[in-house]
Amino acid sequence: MTTPAPTGLRYPWPDPPAHGEPIEVAPGVLWFRLPLPMKLDHVNVYALDDGDGWTVIDTGFNSRKTREIWKAMMEGPLAGKPIARVVVTHHHPDHVGLAGWLQSEFGAELVTTRTAWLFARMLTLDVQEVPVPETLAFWRSAGMDPATFDKRAAERPFNFGDIVAPMPLGFTRIQQGQTIVMGGRTWDIHMGNGHAPEHATFWSRDDHLVISGDQILSSISPNVGVYATEPMADPIGDWLEACERLRPLAREDHLVLGGHKLPFTGLPTRMRQLIDNHHGALERLLAYIETPKAASECFAPLFKRSIGEGEYGLALVEAVAHLSHLYQDGQATRTLREDGAWLYQRKG
């Protein structure tokens, strides 16, 4: 009789690998960790042995330090075989940052979704010395703290091109419902959404592996935010739809290899937690906006902790996302304050 897999989240490796050092999480599948210069101080990347070369999943930032770690990986754990393919789960810079470098310097093929490639390449070409009027208007509409607004309006903004290598023309597109062969396994491709549009996840047909990028993480909830690029986007709705669609695929024995934190098993439990987390946040927020509130005034019910300067931007776009979802779902109204901030209020 087969013993059922234990339920609940479990972490087969309690400690992550040192930067650039591998842990073999399954035959022919190596887990590496690369540094990030921010509060979330790492990104996970994976190398899959294709026999005559490696497929790598995600890349880290384009920085001298990260490039040196990659070169050491190529001379050490990956030695003897070239990196033939780079698979990028989604367009965020900690995942796509060195894809263009691996293409141009080492001849790797880039494999990703069309949306991820278009977003990443567009953003690398969009360099701004000061925040553009649309960004300033978006910050006002969110009720950004005046002192923070003045400080950020005078600074050179974050530019994608600062930490993402130039991306040459040419990529191979993957889509929902396709399969891809990596590391001697056939993987079903399922798209996530919400954290990033058309976010690729990979589900092995041959064993218990899932490569989830940032769509499914073990101990943190991915940021889900609205930005000036699409002010009326509904990433919360997209997130919940994707989670509900992926949830039936989850098995207790799946080993989930995420873009951050530790690999884990107990995926059905985690999918339920990720869904419940946002439903709970929406319920708390709806109660909180019994009186009109701007997004900048809604951190307490959403995050249940103090938000520092370094987290302020991500907290603000996530607050906008939750409030806008309630508005677009017909559960809240909004009115424009004299200073340009939207005030949201529970209906009824």
Side-chain angles (χ1 to χ4, degrees), residues 244-313:
E244 293 287 4
R245 178 165 41 82
L246 296 174
R247 186 177 186 174
L249 304 176
R251 303 196 314 256
E252 290 292 348
D253 69 329
H254 272 137
L255 176 62
V256 184
L257 308 176
H260 304 279
K261 301 297 184 177
L262 299 173
F264 70 98
T265 62
L267 183 53
T269 296
R270 188 58 183 149
M271 295 304 299
R272 185 176 68 250
Q273 290 173 345
L274 289 170
I275 293 167
D276 290 349
N277 177 58
H278 284 282
H279 282 302
L282 290 167
E283 289 170 7
R284 295 191 304 274
L285 188 58
L286 199 57
Y288 192 71
I289 58 171
E290 194 68 38
T291 55
K293 300 285 195 309
S296 60
E297 300 170 303
C298 292
F299 294 168
L302 284 175
F303 307 112
K304 298 186 288 186
R305 59 184 172 85
S306 62
I307 298 297
E309 184 179 351
E311 306 162 278
Y312 185 90

Side-chain angles (χ1 to χ4, degrees), residues 74-307:
M74 293 178 202
E75 294 167 2
L78 305 181
K81 289 187 280 196
I83 294 175
R85 284 186 300 187
V86 181
V87 175
V88 170
T89 57
H90 62 296
H91 77 274
H92 292 166
D94 48 333
H95 298 265
V96 75
L98 281 171
W101 176 72
L102 290 167
Q103 279 184 282
S104 58
E105 295 294 318
F106 301 96
E109 173 193 13
L110 175 59
V111 179
T112 192
T113 67
R114 178 178 285 170
T115 304
W117 189 82
L118 289 172
F119 248 115
R121 195 162 196 277
M122 177 270 291
L123 288 168
T124 60
L125 301 174
D126 183 23
V127 176
Q128 302 164 6
E129 294 304 321
V130 294
V132 295
E134 296 86 359
T135 296
L136 298 176
F138 177 75
W139 289 344
R140 288 191 195 97
S141 73
M144 180 179 277
D145 168 72
T148 304
F149 181 94
D150 292 343
K151 182 175 183 289
R152 295 192 177 204
E155 292 176 339
R156 185 178 187 270
F158 162 78
N159 281 288
F160 214 76
D162 295 341
I163 50 175
V164 176
M167 298 180 67
L169 287 175
F171 78 105
T172 299
R173 182 188 182 191
I174 51 176
Q175 302 178 66
Q176 169 67 36
Q178 291 181 334
T179 61
I180 186 171
V181 177
M182 305 183 292
R185 300 161 174 84
T186 298
W187 307 74
D188 290 307
I189 300 171
H190 292 283
M191 293 304 162
N193 267 311
H195 175 67
E198 206 179 6
H199 181 311
T201 66
F202 304 92
W203 303 67
S204 173
R205 290 185 174 184
D206 299 301
D207 55 16
H208 59 299
L209 298 182
V210 177
I211 297 173
S212 65
D214 285 0
Q215 187 69 33
I216 305 168
L217 300 175
S218 61
S219 56
I220 56 173
S221 181
N223 181 256
V224 179
V226 170
Y227 296 86
T229 45
E230 190 183 349
M232 290 307 296
D234 182 17
I236 299 297
D238 295 340
W239 169 264
L240 292 170
E241 182 280 327
C243 285
E244 293 287 4
R245 178 165 41 82
L246 296 174
R247 186 177 186 174
L249 304 176
R251 303 196 314 256
E252 290 292 348
D253 69 329
H254 272 137
L255 176 62
V256 184
L257 308 176
H260 304 279
K261 301 297 184 177
L262 299 173
F264 70 98
T265 62
L267 183 53
T269 296
R270 188 58 183 149
M271 295 304 299
R272 185 176 68 250
Q273 290 173 345
L274 289 170
I275 293 167
D276 290 349
N277 177 58
H278 284 282
H279 282 302
L282 290 167
E283 289 170 7
R284 295 191 304 274
L285 188 58
L286 199 57
Y288 192 71
I289 58 171
E290 194 68 38
T291 55
K293 300 285 195 309
S296 60
E297 300 170 303
C298 292
F299 294 168
L302 284 175
F303 307 112
K304 298 186 288 186
R305 59 184 172 85
S306 62
I307 298 297

